[in-house]
Amino acid sequence: MPRTDASTGRTGRPPVTSRAQIMAAAARLIDQDGWERLTVRRLAAELGIGTTTLYHHVRDKQDLLLLMLSEYAAQIPRPDLPDDPRERMIVTAATMHDALAAWPWAAEVVTTDGLLGLVGEPLTGMVETIVAGAVDCGCTREQAVHVFRSVWYYTVGELLVRIHSAGGRTALRDVDFTGFDPARTPTLAAIGDRWRALAAQDTYRTGLRALVDGLLNGFVVPEG
């Protein structure tokens, strides 16, 4: 599929001259209405060109999203990785988390294992680092895949909960956390409305470290 910068628009309409213009227009639509409502037809209208013209650059919506994700992923800075493989896994997962948190819609798009593998570098390189780190810690390759998937699910799940909460998709802010019955739920009653403040704290890295330690300790049988 051609990805050329030269494209002639219809008479009287501004031509699409670069992939950057397509990406910028798609980003505007996503910011306005969410990635779910992004279509090739809407993007063509935003650019002022015919849908057929846009199909010279992207095959379909998934191709467009993958192109955007790849462009974004290319901007993610590579972290300095520690020598210890366990620490490499934690630093890499935290980098993926922070990158997706900076562009929330991307976290929703890459919630399938297969799509993550299609995005390309540096995300696939980060997957390699986590899987290889688990192997270096004593896991088999099969176990290392399970370790990565558990870390990935935790990372994306944490992001999606926070994104949806911040975006008003949940009604947690309207829940009365002081109404628990001490006789039935004494612990929750004791916490009460402090739940809101506690839930707002960023404990991702603490949870990530505990998860990685637990997974590796569970898979790797100590010698002796």
Side-chain angles (χ1 to χ4, degrees):
M1 181 177 59
R3 299 282 193 194
T4 61
D5 288 343
S7 178
T8 304
R10 294 180 178 180
T11 303
R13 295 182 177 179
V16 176
T17 58
S18 70
R19 185 165 64 182
Q21 287 180 288
I22 297 175
M23 299 297 99
R28 287 196 301 272
L29 291 177
I30 289 175
D31 289 342
Q32 292 171 11
D33 304 313
W35 70 272
E36 301 95 331
R37 296 188 61 189
L38 177 66
T39 64
V40 174
R41 184 180 298 276
R42 290 194 68 204
L43 179 57
E46 177 74 9
L47 290 163
I49 62 173
T51 304
T52 302
T53 301
L54 187 55
Y55 277 126
H56 287 295
H57 296 268
V58 294
R59 289 188 296 269
D60 50 30
K61 178 178 178 177
Q62 176 171 302
D63 186 43
L64 173 61
L65 291 173
L66 285 173
L67 185 59
M68 294 186 70
L69 288 169
S70 296
E71 292 272 328
Y72 177 62
Q75 303 171 28
I76 300 174
R78 290 184 177 274
D80 294 327
L81 296 177
D83 293 332
D84 181 72
R86 187 181 303 238
E87 292 301 315
R88 287 202 303 270
M89 295 169 65
I90 292 171
V91 169
T92 300
T95 300
M96 295 176 69
H97 173 275
D98 294 347
L100 292 173
W103 208 7
W105 73 267
E108 296 187 329
V109 173
V110 294
T111 52
T112 61
D113 295 324
L115 188 57
L116 178 65
L118 294 174
V119 175
E121 288 285 351
L123 288 184
T124 52
M126 293 180 181
V127 176
E128 164 69 20
T129 298
I130 295 174
V131 174
V135 171
D136 289 344
C137 286
C139 291
T140 66
R141 290 187 179 90
E142 291 75 14
Q143 291 170 338
V145 171
H146 296 315
V147 169
F148 167 75
R149 291 176 72 243
S150 295
V151 170
W152 176 242
Y153 294 165
Y154 166 66
T155 299
V156 175
E158 195 269 354
L159 281 169
L160 291 181
V161 169
R162 292 194 178 278
I163 290 168
H164 291 176
S165 297
R169 298 189 188 185
T170 64
L172 284 179
R173 57 177 55 86
D174 300 323
V175 175
D176 181 9
F177 287 95
T178 63
F180 295 110
D181 183 356
R184 300 182 60 186
T185 53
T187 305
L188 293 178
I191 294 172
D193 202 45
R194 288 191 300 135
W195 186 285
R196 297 175 187 270
L198 294 172
Q201 294 177 2
D202 184 359
T203 59
Y204 169 76
R205 282 166 176 75
T206 301
L208 172 64
R209 184 172 295 278
L211 176 62
V212 170
D213 287 346
L215 288 167
L216 294 178
N217 291 338
F219 280 121
V220 180
V221 179
E223 295 182 1

Tab-separated table of all heavy atoms in Angstrom, residues 116-146:
chain	number	residue	atom	x	y	z
A	116	LEU	N	-1.176	-5.350	19.902
A	116	LEU	CA	0.070	-4.847	20.452
A	116	LEU	C	1.245	-5.295	19.600
A	116	LEU	O	2.180	-4.533	19.353
A	116	LEU	CB	0.251	-5.336	21.893
A	116	LEU	CG	1.545	-4.910	22.590
A	116	LEU	CD1	1.575	-3.398	22.769
A	116	LEU	CD2	1.678	-5.606	23.928
A	117	GLY	N	1.205	-6.525	19.118
A	117	GLY	CA	2.293	-7.039	18.312
A	117	GLY	C	2.396	-6.407	16.943
A	117	GLY	O	3.432	-6.518	16.286
A	118	LEU	N	1.342	-5.732	16.498
A	118	LEU	CA	1.350	-5.112	15.176
A	118	LEU	C	1.852	-3.673	15.190
A	118	LEU	O	2.106	-3.103	14.138
A	118	LEU	CB	-0.064	-5.138	14.579
A	118	LEU	CG	-0.648	-6.516	14.256
A	118	LEU	CD1	-2.101	-6.364	13.813
A	118	LEU	CD2	0.159	-7.212	13.178
A	119	VAL	N	1.979	-3.093	16.382
A	119	VAL	CA	2.325	-1.681	16.469
A	119	VAL	C	3.759	-1.426	16.062
A	119	VAL	O	4.083	-0.402	15.469
A	119	VAL	CB	2.073	-1.159	17.904
A	119	VAL	CG1	2.550	0.270	18.052
A	119	VAL	CG2	0.584	-1.254	18.232
A	120	GLY	N	4.658	-2.363	16.348
A	120	GLY	CA	6.056	-2.180	15.973
A	120	GLY	C	6.867	-1.540	17.083
A	120	GLY	O	6.421	-1.385	18.211
A	121	GLU	N	8.085	-1.165	16.735
A	121	GLU	CA	8.977	-0.547	17.714
A	121	GLU	C	8.445	0.827	18.125
A	121	GLU	O	7.804	1.500	17.336
A	121	GLU	CB	10.377	-0.393	17.111
A	121	GLU	CG	11.115	-1.701	16.958
A	121	GLU	CD	11.639	-2.233	18.283
A	121	GLU	OE1	11.571	-1.499	19.292
A	121	GLU	OE2	12.109	-3.361	18.302
A	122	PRO	N	8.757	1.271	19.384
A	122	PRO	CA	9.512	0.543	20.386
A	122	PRO	C	8.662	-0.345	21.303
A	122	PRO	O	9.199	-0.996	22.186
A	122	PRO	CB	10.160	1.660	21.198
A	122	PRO	CG	9.139	2.736	21.200
A	122	PRO	CD	8.483	2.668	19.826
A	123	LEU	N	7.326	-0.388	21.079
A	123	LEU	CA	6.499	-1.187	21.984
A	123	LEU	C	6.859	-2.659	21.931
A	123	LEU	O	6.948	-3.328	22.965
A	123	LEU	CB	5.010	-0.982	21.662
A	123	LEU	CG	4.414	0.369	22.058
A	123	LEU	CD1	2.930	0.403	21.763
A	123	LEU	CD2	4.653	0.662	23.536
A	124	THR	N	7.088	-3.197	20.724
A	124	THR	CA	7.464	-4.599	20.660
A	124	THR	C	8.834	-4.828	21.284
A	124	THR	O	9.102	-5.901	21.845
A	124	THR	CB	7.460	-5.107	19.214
A	124	THR	OG1	8.239	-4.231	18.391
A	124	THR	CG2	6.042	-5.174	18.666
A	125	GLY	N	9.713	-3.834	21.190
A	125	GLY	CA	10.994	-3.939	21.861
A	125	GLY	C	10.845	-3.987	23.366
A	125	GLY	O	11.596	-4.678	24.064
A	126	MET	N	9.843	-3.272	23.887
A	126	MET	CA	9.585	-3.299	25.323
A	126	MET	C	9.013	-4.641	25.746
A	126	MET	O	9.333	-5.158	26.824
A	126	MET	CB	8.642	-2.154	25.702
A	126	MET	CG	9.252	-0.778	25.532
A	126	MET	SD	8.124	0.550	25.998
A	126	MET	CE	9.139	1.993	25.656
A	127	VAL	N	8.173	-5.214	24.884
A	127	VAL	CA	7.664	-6.559	25.162
A	127	VAL	C	8.829	-7.542	25.237
A	127	VAL	O	8.914	-8.378	26.147
A	127	VAL	CB	6.650	-6.995	24.089
A	127	VAL	CG1	6.206	-8.435	24.333
A	127	VAL	CG2	5.442	-6.065	24.079
A	128	GLU	N	9.745	-7.434	24.277
A	128	GLU	CA	10.934	-8.289	24.270
A	128	GLU	C	11.724	-8.140	25.572
A	128	GLU	O	12.176	-9.139	26.155
A	128	GLU	CB	11.811	-7.927	23.072
A	128	GLU	CG	13.240	-8.446	23.114
A	128	GLU	CD	13.354	-9.950	22.971
A	128	GLU	OE1	12.387	-10.570	22.460
A	128	GLU	OE2	14.394	-10.511	23.366
A	129	THR	N	11.879	-6.906	26.036
A	129	THR	CA	12.657	-6.670	27.258
A	129	THR	C	12.015	-7.341	28.462
A	129	THR	O	12.705	-7.953	29.294
A	129	THR	CB	12.787	-5.161	27.513
A	129	THR	OG1	13.490	-4.552	26.422
A	129	THR	CG2	13.555	-4.887	28.799
A	130	ILE	N	10.687	-7.264	28.573
A	130	ILE	CA	10.006	-7.868	29.716
A	130	ILE	C	10.061	-9.387	29.635
A	130	ILE	O	10.350	-10.067	30.637
A	130	ILE	CB	8.550	-7.375	29.783
A	130	ILE	CG1	8.521	-5.866	30.066
A	130	ILE	CG2	7.772	-8.135	30.859
A	130	ILE	CD1	7.144	-5.250	30.010
A	131	VAL	N	9.794	-9.943	28.458
A	131	VAL	CA	9.827	-11.402	28.302
A	131	VAL	C	11.240	-11.925	28.530
A	131	VAL	O	11.454	-12.910	29.244
A	131	VAL	CB	9.313	-11.806	26.902
A	131	VAL	CG1	9.481	-13.305	26.678
A	131	VAL	CG2	7.835	-11.420	26.754
A	132	ALA	N	12.231	-11.264	27.938
A	132	ALA	CA	13.618	-11.696	28.115
A	132	ALA	C	14.053	-11.550	29.564
A	132	ALA	O	14.817	-12.383	30.080
A	132	ALA	CB	14.537	-10.880	27.210
A	133	GLY	N	13.556	-10.506	30.237
A	133	GLY	CA	13.893	-10.329	31.644
A	133	GLY	C	13.375	-11.477	32.493
A	133	GLY	O	14.060	-11.951	33.409
A	134	ALA	N	12.162	-11.927	32.184
A	134	ALA	CA	11.598	-13.057	32.920
A	134	ALA	C	12.407	-14.328	32.668
A	134	ALA	O	12.644	-15.122	33.588
A	134	ALA	CB	10.135	-13.267	32.527
A	135	VAL	N	12.855	-14.517	31.436
A	135	VAL	CA	13.698	-15.678	31.118
A	135	VAL	C	15.013	-15.595	31.881
A	135	VAL	O	15.492	-16.579	32.456
A	135	VAL	CB	13.957	-15.764	29.597
A	135	VAL	CG1	15.007	-16.829	29.285
A	135	VAL	CG2	12.655	-16.075	28.856
A	136	ASP	N	15.604	-14.408	31.923
A	136	ASP	CA	16.860	-14.225	32.647
A	136	ASP	C	16.689	-14.455	34.144
A	136	ASP	O	17.662	-14.778	34.836
A	136	ASP	CB	17.409	-12.818	32.407
A	136	ASP	CG	17.923	-12.626	30.989
A	136	ASP	OD1	18.134	-13.635	30.290
A	136	ASP	OD2	18.092	-11.456	30.574
A	137	CYS	N	15.464	-14.295	34.635
A	137	CYS	CA	15.192	-14.547	36.056
A	137	CYS	C	14.926	-16.022	36.343
A	137	CYS	O	14.717	-16.395	37.505
A	137	CYS	CB	14.005	-13.712	36.521
A	137	CYS	SG	14.365	-11.953	36.725
A	138	GLY	N	14.904	-16.849	35.295
A	138	GLY	CA	14.743	-18.280	35.497
A	138	GLY	C	13.482	-18.881	34.934
A	138	GLY	O	13.271	-20.091	35.050
A	139	CYS	N	12.626	-18.075	34.321
A	139	CYS	CA	11.394	-18.600	33.723
A	139	CYS	C	11.708	-19.294	32.398
A	139	CYS	O	12.679	-18.962	31.710
A	139	CYS	CB	10.403	-17.474	33.450
A	139	CYS	SG	9.698	-16.696	34.922
A	140	THR	N	10.874	-20.251	32.044
A	140	THR	CA	10.920	-20.768	30.684
A	140	THR	C	10.317	-19.710	29.765
A	140	THR	O	9.685	-18.757	30.218
A	140	THR	CB	10.111	-22.068	30.554
A	140	THR	OG1	8.718	-21.771	30.776
A	140	THR	CG2	10.569	-23.111	31.563
A	141	ARG	N	10.513	-19.877	28.457
A	141	ARG	CA	9.919	-18.912	27.525
A	141	ARG	C	8.401	-18.906	27.643
A	141	ARG	O	7.765	-17.851	27.545
A	141	ARG	CB	10.351	-19.235	26.093
A	141	ARG	CG	11.823	-18.969	25.819
A	141	ARG	CD	12.138	-19.137	24.347
A	141	ARG	NE	13.535	-18.868	24.050
A	141	ARG	CZ	14.491	-19.782	24.071
A	141	ARG	NH1	14.178	-21.050	24.364
A	141	ARG	NH2	15.742	-19.458	23.797
A	142	GLU	N	7.819	-20.077	27.844
A	142	GLU	CA	6.360	-20.154	27.991
A	142	GLU	C	5.914	-19.407	29.249
A	142	GLU	O	4.925	-18.659	29.231
A	142	GLU	CB	5.922	-21.619	28.053
A	142	GLU	CG	6.079	-22.394	26.750
A	142	GLU	CD	7.524	-22.768	26.450
A	142	GLU	OE1	8.379	-22.672	27.382
A	142	GLU	OE2	7.810	-23.159	25.301
A	143	GLN	N	6.614	-19.618	30.347
A	143	GLN	CA	6.278	-18.920	31.588
A	143	GLN	C	6.480	-17.413	31.436
A	143	GLN	O	5.692	-16.617	31.966
A	143	GLN	CB	7.138	-19.449	32.731
A	143	GLN	CG	6.811	-20.870	33.150
A	143	GLN	CD	7.830	-21.438	34.116
A	143	GLN	OE1	8.980	-20.979	34.178
A	143	GLN	NE2	7.431	-22.439	34.878
A	144	ALA	N	7.517	-17.024	30.703
A	144	ALA	CA	7.797	-15.604	30.504
A	144	ALA	C	6.659	-14.916	29.766
A	144	ALA	O	6.342	-13.747	30.034
A	144	ALA	CB	9.107	-15.432	29.739
A	145	VAL	N	6.033	-15.632	28.824
A	145	VAL	CA	4.875	-15.065	28.122
A	145	VAL	C	3.746	-14.811	29.109
A	145	VAL	O	3.086	-13.766	29.075
A	145	VAL	CB	4.405	-16.007	26.996
A	145	VAL	CG1	3.069	-15.536	26.415
A	145	VAL	CG2	5.452	-16.080	25.888
A	146	HIS	N	3.509	-15.750	30.008
A	146	HIS	CA	2.452	-15.574	31.007
A	146	HIS	C	2.781	-14.422	31.948
A	146	HIS	O	1.882	-13.675	32.367
A	146	HIS	CB	2.257	-16.865	31.795
A	146	HIS	CG	1.771	-18.011	30.961
A	146	HIS	ND1	0.750	-17.882	30.052
A	146	HIS	CD2	2.167	-19.313	30.903
A	146	HIS	CE1	0.525	-19.050	29.458
A	146	HIS	NE2	1.373	-19.928	29.957
